[in-house]
DNA sequence: ATGAGGGCATAAGCTGGAGTTATGAGTGAG
DNA sequence: CTCACTCATAACTCCAGCTTATGCCCTCAT
């Protein structure tokens, strides 16, 4: 999917300043002075000065107007800083996720989550949690729904997140988000230019590109199309969501995916969503916990965060 | 806005692998071998091996299972790779934008764009354009609508993008996207918990946090509320959209902003959108060009891209 | 069985980028 | 006039990441 992994992007790290430099630029923008920004990041003022200058040389554009009373962004600098903010925000999400992945032991809150939740939603929640309760150590274990349930029942996790149509037995839960499955094709696929919505029968009769095992998606799809002749045999089975999206984007065929997984591709029109009439392909994303272990402390905090974001 | 620029994130670059390492990880995931990934990125196999190992040490998690027949991601590795992809994609957008900012001269396509378009939409378009026409050099000049028009009329730009309710005179244009203005407040603001939509009169009577000069937003807002008593005096005037969002998020008051500018904050519930009844705060984003210089070649390519993404 | 080849790891050495401290020069406020 | 702040330059240190050279392991084909 996308140029990101193609050969053309090979030199990215030579053309894009590293995270430290981007963060420094954000600090300069906010604080209005190289020296103050340096102090905030714990480096010396000359280091900051030279780094910003190196970044300007690398990009070939002036970013800050220096004056004896401080530094302000140039017009180009404003734009660059806004783009930089995206990169740093993505890095923050990476960091929050990675930290949770690391602290396997001695964490105050042990979370087990399905892949969809862990990939798309949890980093944002963890960032918010970190902001509210900076000293909460969270550990994350990602797996399929069965594994999540198992961890909870074994007392090896305090809070779980699963997708599925019903709450697993033996556990209490609350819906924290909803997830819609959408039919997508590549922009050159014939369906991309059709005007009428797909009928459930059509969808059922079409061979789809699918994930190998029924990653929760299949279950919902099966149920929704049960009355319309059942699901056709897969056109292709792939192991990763990424590979699947790439195959769909290149026109190999249609697929049904969580809208969380394809939001960016839809926005950039690398994929096209095809409406389907008459079936609701929704599923709930639930927080779950053992009936005898209602979340307290940090678990409660995280839970209330996720419900607020519903 | 957000921890991104706060002191707590100071050590980000020590905890997050650099872009090169993330890109290498993506390549390993895709190609299934450290050596092949190394070759693709133009580095030696030991370099790749040591870099991945360093990354695993840094994150405290195993990412790839090495075998004599290749390397596959571990479960944690899949998750980390997905998070990494976000960072690299943001870096790609940064790169595409920065490249356009740099090539002031001798570019085949000179684009002038308003801030909103340059910030949120153009990088994606440039990435798509690069994929379709790899050798198109684009230069970008960002400014307000008046500046964009001026450049076009002076023949210093081939294609422009402006927001506004009407197409500027002397230019031809086509609507390429629409942009909705939304009322936002911080999550703790009283409005965040109200159930009824805002009335236009209420909105008109409320002092808002605003950008300093009427950045196109004000024009639309004025027009929409003209029949309801006109806009109240500003509560606060700030220079940058970023500062504005930060002020709103911390509860200083309500503001009216493009939904493009607040999409992420809404998703993470750092801001809350308040519906307004009865007024449509929409505006068009237009591609514009001189009547006697209809875009050809690369300009035409970019234009068709943007219209496809409408 | 026995190379050949692909895959990964280790070791030794080089290099450059980013950091440091020390210092100077410009500007505005008290 | 002097202090307090800004930024820039210079000289030096250090380490992360690169390279080449090599070795081991496994599999597959001859």
């Amino acid at each position: 999917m996308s140029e990101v992994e193609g050969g053309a992007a090979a030199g990215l790290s030579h053309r894009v300043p590293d995270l430290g430099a981007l963060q420094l630029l954000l600090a300069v923008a906010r604080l209005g002075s190289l020296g103050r920004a340096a102090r905030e990041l714990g480096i010396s003022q000359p280091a900051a000065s030279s780094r910003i200058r190196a970044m300007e040389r690398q990009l070939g554009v002036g970013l800050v107007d220096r004056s004896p009373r401080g530094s302000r962004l140039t017009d180009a600098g404003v734009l660059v800083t806004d783009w930089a903010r995206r990169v740093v925000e993505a890095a923050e999400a990476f960091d929050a996720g990675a930290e949770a992945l690391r602290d396997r032991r001695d964490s105050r809150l042990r979370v087990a989550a399905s892949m969809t939740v862990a990939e798309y939603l949890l980093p944002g929640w963890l960032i918010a949690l970190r902001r509210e309760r900076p000293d909460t150590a969270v550990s994350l274990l990602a797996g399929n729904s069965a594994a999540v349930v198992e961890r909870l029942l074994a007392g090896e996790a305090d809070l779980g997140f699963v997708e599925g149509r019903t709450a697993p037995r033996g556990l209490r839960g609350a819906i924290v988000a909803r997830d819609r499955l959408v039919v997508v094709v590549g922009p050159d696929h014939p369906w991309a230019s059709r005007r009428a919505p797909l009928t459930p029968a059509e969808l059922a009769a079409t061979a789809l590109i699918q994930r190998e095992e029924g990653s929760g998606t299949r279950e919902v799809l099966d149920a929704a199309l049960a009355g319309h002749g059942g699901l056709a045999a897969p056109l292709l089975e792939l192991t990763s969501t990424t590979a699947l999206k790439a195959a769909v984007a290149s026109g190999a065929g249609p697929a049904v995916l969580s809208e969380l997984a394809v939001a960016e591709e839809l926005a950039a029109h690398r994929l096209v969503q095809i409406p389907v009439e008459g079936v609701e392909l929704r599923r709930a994303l639930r927080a779950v916990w053992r009936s005898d272990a209602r979340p307290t402390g940090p678990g409660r905090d995280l839970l209330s965060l996720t419900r607020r974001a519903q």
Side-chain angles (χ1 to χ4, degrees), chain A residues 197-235:
Chain A
L198 222 49
T199 66
E202 268 179 307
L203 180 57
T206 304
L208 300 174
I209 307 179
Q210 297 186 347
R211 284 289 298 278
E212 267 182 354
E213 26 124 38
S215 64
T217 305
R218 213 138 159 184
E219 177 197 358
V220 177
L221 199 56
D222 268 331
L225 298 182
H228 301 275
L231 207 47
L235 173 64

Side-chain angles (χ1 to χ4, degrees), chain A residues 111-123 125 140 160-163 176 260 285-286:
Chain A
V111 172
S114 75
M115 276 295 178
T116 305
V117 174
E119 188 177 340
Y120 298 102
L121 299 175
L122 207 55
W125 293 341
L140 166 64
F161 293 95
V162 296
E163 56 240 19
V176 295
L260 288 170
L285 302 180
R286 289 168 202 278

Side-chain angles (χ1 to χ4, degrees), chain A residues 118-274:
Chain A
E119 188 177 340
Y120 298 102
L121 299 175
L122 207 55
W125 293 341
L126 292 178
I127 289 175
L129 183 63
R130 186 189 284 180
R131 179 156 42 236
E132 293 191 5
R133 298 271 189 279
D135 47 0
T136 307
V138 178
S139 78
L140 166 64
L141 198 134
N144 59 29
S145 293
V148 170
V149 171
E150 190 183 320
R151 295 288 165 173
L152 286 169
L153 292 177
E156 289 166 10
D158 307 306
L159 187 60
F161 293 95
V162 296
E163 56 240 19
R165 295 187 308 127
T166 60
R169 40 189 297 147
L171 299 177
R172 297 258 176 117
I175 293 177
V176 295
R178 291 187 178 278
D179 183 23
R180 225 154 41 85
L181 299 180
V182 297
V183 178
V184 292
V185 297
D188 300 325
H189 190 279
W191 282 4
S193 50
R194 66 180 269 160
R195 305 188 72 69
L198 222 49
T199 66
E202 268 179 307
L203 180 57
T206 304
L208 300 174
I209 307 179
Q210 297 186 347
R211 284 289 298 278
E212 267 182 354
E213 26 124 38
S215 64
T217 305
R218 213 138 159 184
E219 177 197 358
V220 177
L221 199 56
D222 268 331
L225 298 182
H228 301 275
L231 207 47
L235 173 64
L236 194 60
E237 292 201 325
L238 296 172
T239 48
S240 77
T241 304
T242 306
L244 204 163
K245 288 194 283 190
V248 173
S250 71
V256 176
L257 282 166
S258 161
E259 75 183 340
L260 288 170
V262 296
E264 282 173 26
E265 283 80 5
L266 291 177
H269 282 241
R270 293 192 293 268
L271 295 177
V272 178
Q273 175 179 350
I274 312 297

